Amino acid sequence: MSASYKAILWNRYKKMYDWVLLGFVLIYLLLFISITLVANPEVTQETLIIRAFGSLAILLLHIILMIGPLARLNSAFLPILYNRRHLGVTMFCMAAIHGIFSIIQFHSLGNINPIVSVFLSNTHYESFTKFPFEAFGFLALVILFLMAITSHDFWLHNLSPRVWKTLHMMVYVAYTLIILHVLLGVLQFETSPMFFSLLGLGMTSIITLHLISGSKEYKKDKAIENVNGFVRICSVSEIEEKRAKVVCLQDERIAIFKYDQKISAISNVCKHQNGPLGEGRIIDGCITCPWHGYQYLPHNGSSPPPFKEKVVTYQVKVIDDEVWVNPKPFAEGTTLEPAKIIN
Amino acid sequence: MAKKVGLSEEFFVGYLNDVPVLTKRFLKKTALCLLGIILIVATVLSLNQKPFSNSNFDYGIVSTLEGHLFLKPFPHLRLVNTTTNESCLLVGFGKAGAEKTLNEFEVKLGHLSGKRIRLKGQLIHGNGKRLLQISANDFPELLNEFKEETPTESVAEKITTHEGEIVDPKCFFGVMKPGEGKPHRACAIRCISGGIPPVLHSATEDYLLFDENRQPVNREVVSLVGDVVTLKGRIVTIYNWKILLLNTDDLKRQARAVQQTRTFTLMQENITLCSIK
Ligand code: HEM
Ligand code: FES
């Protein structure tokens, strides 16, 4: 909550998360390598490394991409989302080991620069099946690299939220590139239908989860009735005490909180890492972000002193037990009188 | 007595140390599911890889071979002290042919073609063939015995047709597994561009490829590497190696056809979607 980006400290949960992650990584690598060595002992060390790390990276990427929609569908998944950046950086490291070993093995010690070789050895860019699949892998790795180095809070504070968000939405571009990388690469060589099936299963799960969570959000967002600039949202009883309802008005997400017989509305987007404030709660009189616990006062959208974070606020009215919100935002940190609930 | 709370009532904030009980239980279950997925994926992927060839690269082990060195049509060492009809194909360090290293040896030792030498290097062996990777650091020993400048060979009467994949022999005979197919295409292109003579790997035999004048065809075959091609030529046998002497016009026509027909093929079924000439 401080202006410094070092606010989030290591704690038991965070350490546990990383130990479990490290355990999963080691178990996967050990299992892949030992089964291959037993079933297929003629394998070379290089191929073993390239394949173990490449396949682990794509598995982790699938898990990462599923957490988002799962957490939207069921908030019990939120704690996994909370440390997702560690998953992301781990995935990048696995992909980087795979990529670097591939470049050393297949592209170095030749008569041209290894990076140039990734793009210009196989030049069948006109063909689908012969396409230089390594180029897709390389571009994906560049995107993952940019995401990994900007995942630190430092960048979140120094890049505008829009730039940061756009950069991190690029993960879907990277995912597409990696699917093509595998489809036009190793799957043109391997013959077992298992590879196609697993890849298909992974892609289907990700697309389906995104569609389901997307359509749920869309339905929630269908607000109507506009009087004097105010939009009718719901009845007072539909919002739980110390909790919020999230609506999307004029492309902005608004969190409407009920507390102590009052209703206030502020931006749904946390200043820390764009966490969903509306999925948080009011603790000790402050709206508390579910991701890392940044806090804001409901009536002015400002973090309690000495912290300096501020979000935009919205005017609220309660008329005949109905909540109305004006979608025109007030400047960040503007104090607005909460609407009183009269019983 | 504490009020019972459901999972959705619990509120977890990342910076707080204590994860609520039900959340903890849910996270444990999720972690177990993930563990299951990881075990299944690792097992399925590792068990379904194509088997690897039993060829090998004696990486880091220096062997010494003695024989007569021939530079044409490809650098090879006809082994002595062996009862077999074996000659060892020479390649350079990395993705390069042996010529550059041999030239460096010749600067010091004079003309080497046809001479008996003791050569050090790292062996590559597979599919009944042996190759030696030589490096400028492992200087050969010149033995004073001269044979002839050209190896004994037998040339087939007829021109025959052979189907197979063009690979580079260094990777294919042992340095890499897989040393063929799509994942290896770029590497084979680098090796062949670097002067390692191309090989046509067919179901029955592996042929080194040269033109009718026994000149290299590396440049001409580059766009055909990694695909199944059909090549016509006369077979020449040099010790335990078979060479296919190709008609260069034929080869150029095939290479041009591949480069000019911009055909987008869908998966491996070769469904032609569109063709731009
Ligand atoms: C510099 C970038 C990259 C290069 C040069 C590269 C190269 C390769 C090569 C040559 C193969 C085939 C290896 C084989 O014979 O099995 C391969 C396969 C694969 N790559 Fe990449 N890759 C790169 C980046 C990536 C990235 C970022 C991912 C992300 C997850 C990835 C995922 C995979 C997977 C899952 C496979 C199939 C498993 C395997 O064969 O290793 N690659 N890659
Ligand atoms: S506290 Fe980190 S996003 Fe809100």
Side-chain angles (χ1 to χ4, degrees):
Chain A
M1 279 179 292
S2 78
S4 143
Y5 46 85
K6 286 192 192 123
I8 302 308
L9 300 171
W10 290 92
N11 63 41
R12 233 170 57 208
Y13 174 70
K14 203 160 172 172
K15 279 188 197 141
M16 188 69 186
Y17 192 106
D18 287 351
W19 280 115
V20 172
L21 176 57
L22 180 69
F24 282 172
V25 164
L26 291 180
I27 288 172
Y28 181 90
L29 292 174
L30 278 177
L31 199 64
F32 185 96
I33 289 173
S34 44
I35 295 181
T36 306
L37 280 175
V38 171
N40 235 330
E42 298 289 353
V43 65
T44 62
Q45 285 172 24
E46 294 86 350
T47 300
L48 210 48
I49 291 171
I50 289 174
R51 291 191 169 174
F53 283 90
S55 57
L56 174 58
I58 197 171
L59 174 61
L60 288 176
L61 183 57
H62 276 90
I63 295 173
I64 290 170
L65 291 180
M66 284 183 203
I67 295 173
L70 278 177
R72 295 230 156 268
L73 290 171
N74 179 352
S75 61
F77 283 105
L78 273 172
I80 305 177
L81 187 88
Y82 158 66
N83 238 2
R84 187 162 58 163
R85 61 170 71 183
H86 287 203
L87 255 175
V89 173
T90 309
M91 186 266 300
F92 163 73
C93 293
M94 301 299 108
I97 293 174
H98 161 87
I100 290 167
F101 263 83
S102 295
I103 291 179
I104 293 174
Q105 160 113 323
F106 297 111
H107 300 279
S108 61
L109 300 177
N111 55 359
I112 59 174
N113 175 297
I115 307 287
V116 175
S117 163
V118 168
F119 293 92
L120 291 184
S121 285
N122 174 7
T123 51
H124 286 296
Y125 285 94
E126 82 292 346
S127 155
F128 190 65
T129 50
K130 294 183 200 172
F131 198 94
F133 68 99
E134 299 91 340
F136 287 134
F138 191 92
L139 294 179
L141 194 60
V142 170
I143 295 177
L144 298 181
F145 172 71
L146 289 177
M147 287 177 53
I149 58 160
T150 57
S151 71
H152 193 274
D153 281 1
F154 171 81
W155 288 99
L156 201 70
H157 285 264
N158 287 280
L159 295 171
S160 76
R162 180 155 301 189
V163 171
W164 196 83
K165 183 119 206 234
T166 311
L167 186 64
H168 285 249
M169 288 303 276
M170 292 278 280
V171 71
Y172 293 102
V173 178
Y175 180 67
T176 313
L177 291 171
I178 290 164
I179 294 293
L180 287 170
H181 174 70
V182 175
L183 217 51
L184 301 183
V186 82
L187 288 191
Q188 300 293 315
F189 174 73
E190 292 290 346
T191 43
S192 163
M194 276 303 183
F195 296 113
F196 268 108
S197 314
L198 266 186
L199 197 65
L201 187 69
M203 283 170 65
T204 321
S205 318
I206 286 184
I207 294 171
T208 316
L209 277 174
H210 278 82
L211 286 180
I212 295 175
S213 77
S215 79
K216 208 175 145 187
E217 299 264 293
Y218 177 77
K219 278 186 201 140
K220 262 208 274 181
D221 292 348
K222 274 197 286 176
I224 20 138
E225 278 191 79
N226 180 334
V227 180
N228 293 338
F230 279 79
V231 177
R232 193 174 70 91
I233 308 295
C234 61
S235 72
V236 169
S237 58
E238 277 176 57
I239 309 178
E240 283 177 57
E241 177 66 14
K242 299 217 171 9
R243 297 251 217 144
K245 180 175 175 72
V246 179
V247 291
C248 190
L249 298 178
Q250 299 179 1
D251 281 342
E252 293 300 334
R253 293 191 167 276
I254 304 174
I256 306 158
F257 277 90
K258 176 162 123 185
Y259 58 103
D260 308 334
Q261 295 295 97
K262 286 183 274 187
I263 298 205
S264 289
I266 69 167
S267 163
N268 187 48
V269 184
C270 178
K271 277 288 161 185
H272 177 224
Q273 273 175 28
N274 304 344
L277 291 176
E279 287 168 29
R281 299 206 182 171
I282 296 193
I283 297 179
D284 301 334
C286 287
I287 294 169
T288 307
C289 177
W291 281 12
H292 318 92
Y294 273 40
Q295 290 189 311
Y296 305 86
L297 290 162
H299 65 279
N300 64 8
S302 311
S303 295
F307 305 112
K308 298 196 179 77
E309 277 68 30
K310 285 186 188 121
V311 296
V312 298
T313 52
Y314 297 89
Q315 264 185 324
V316 186
K317 280 191 211 169
V318 174
I319 307 168
D320 293 341
D321 203 36
E322 299 279 359
V323 179
W324 296 70
V325 169
N326 189 335
K328 198 169 75 67
F330 281 75
E332 292 175 350
T334 308
T335 303
L336 293 174
E337 185 67 24
K340 295 226 163 50
I341 302 169
I342 307 142
N343 289 324
Chain B
M1 220 169 66
K3 195 178 130 223
K4 250 194 175 171
V5 284
L7 179 56
S8 65
E9 303 287 309
E10 286 186 354
F11 183 51
F12 169 79
V13 179
Y15 73 88
L16 295 177
N17 258 342
D18 288 323
V19 182
V21 188
L22 290 180
T23 308
K24 205 180 227 167
R25 215 174 286 161
F26 180 82
L27 289 179
K28 269 193 190 151
K29 267 192 229 152
T30 313
L32 279 179
C33 280
L34 277 176
L35 181 65
I37 292 175
I38 284 167
L39 296 180
I40 292 170
V41 172
T43 312
V44 170
L45 292 184
S46 54
L47 280 180
N48 282 285
Q49 298 170 89
K50 265 191 193 175
F52 299 99
S53 75
N54 61 358
S55 49
N56 243 316
F57 176 37
D58 294 348
Y59 180 75
I61 303 170
V62 177
S63 306
T64 308
L65 298 182
E66 191 175 322
H68 289 100
L69 179 71
F70 294 108
L71 298 179
K72 298 280 169 195
F74 57 96
H76 61 115
L77 191 70
R78 163 70 177 130
L79 301 181
V80 294
N81 305 334
T82 158
T83 50
T84 57
N85 186 30
E86 190 186 356
S87 191
C88 189
L89 172 63
L90 303 179
V91 292
F93 176 74
K95 297 173 174 47
E99 283 80 359
K100 188 164 163 266
T101 311
L102 290 171
N103 284 344
E104 283 175 34
F105 293 162
E106 284 197 317
V107 170
K108 297 252 172 73
L109 300 173
H111 194 57
L112 285 178
S113 186
K115 295 211 173 127
R116 182 161 168 165
I117 60 170
R118 213 173 272 146
L119 201 50
K120 280 191 214 145
Q122 302 178 37
L123 274 174
I124 298 158
H125 37 96
N127 254 19
K129 301 285 198 298
R130 285 206 288 177
L131 288 78
L132 191 71
Q133 169 182 293
I134 57 173
S135 89
N137 302 331
D138 289 322
F139 220 68
E141 194 181 330
L142 185 58
L143 305 163
N144 266 334
E145 185 187 312
F146 180 74
K147 231 179 162 189
E148 65 277 280
E149 281 264 355
T150 44
T152 339
E153 56 173 48
S154 66
V155 184
E157 288 287 309
K158 273 197 293 190
I159 288 184
T160 43
T161 305
H162 306 270
E163 191 189 78
E165 179 186 334
I166 298 179
V167 295
D168 73 281
K170 185 173 181 185
C171 294
F172 180 75
F173 288 116
V175 174
M176 286 188 197
K177 302 177 194 184
E180 68 204 288
K182 179 77 191 268
H184 189 261
R185 180 200 289 263
C187 178
I189 289 173
R190 284 274 60 78
C191 287
I192 291 171
S193 307
I196 297 173
V199 159
L200 181 75
H201 165 61
S202 80
T204 48
E205 185 58 79
D206 301 314
Y207 304 97
L208 285 161
L209 302 176
F210 288 91
D211 76 4
E212 288 150 328
N213 303 317
R214 291 170 169 65
Q215 294 304 308
V217 288
N218 297 39
R219 202 181 279 272
E220 288 79 2
V221 301
V222 159
S223 63
L224 301 172
V225 169
D227 287 323
V228 174
V229 289
T230 305
L231 298 177
K232 255 193 308 198
R234 205 184 293 278
I235 296 175
V236 177
T237 309
I238 300 181
Y239 309 115
N240 62 332
W241 289 89
K242 295 261 191 278
I243 296 172
L244 200 56
L245 301 183
L246 304 170
N247 178 311
T248 23
D249 289 337
D250 236 26
L251 196 59
K252 278 184 189 150
R253 212 172 305 124
Q254 264 200 58
R256 225 178 296 129
V258 169
Q259 276 165 346
Q260 284 181 357
T261 324
R262 312 231 137 195
T263 312
F264 295 85
T265 45
L266 188 63
M267 308 313 290
Q268 273 170 329
E269 296 162 324
N270 287 340
I271 303 167
T272 307
L273 292 178
C274 92
S275 224
I276 315 153
K277 284 270 148 61

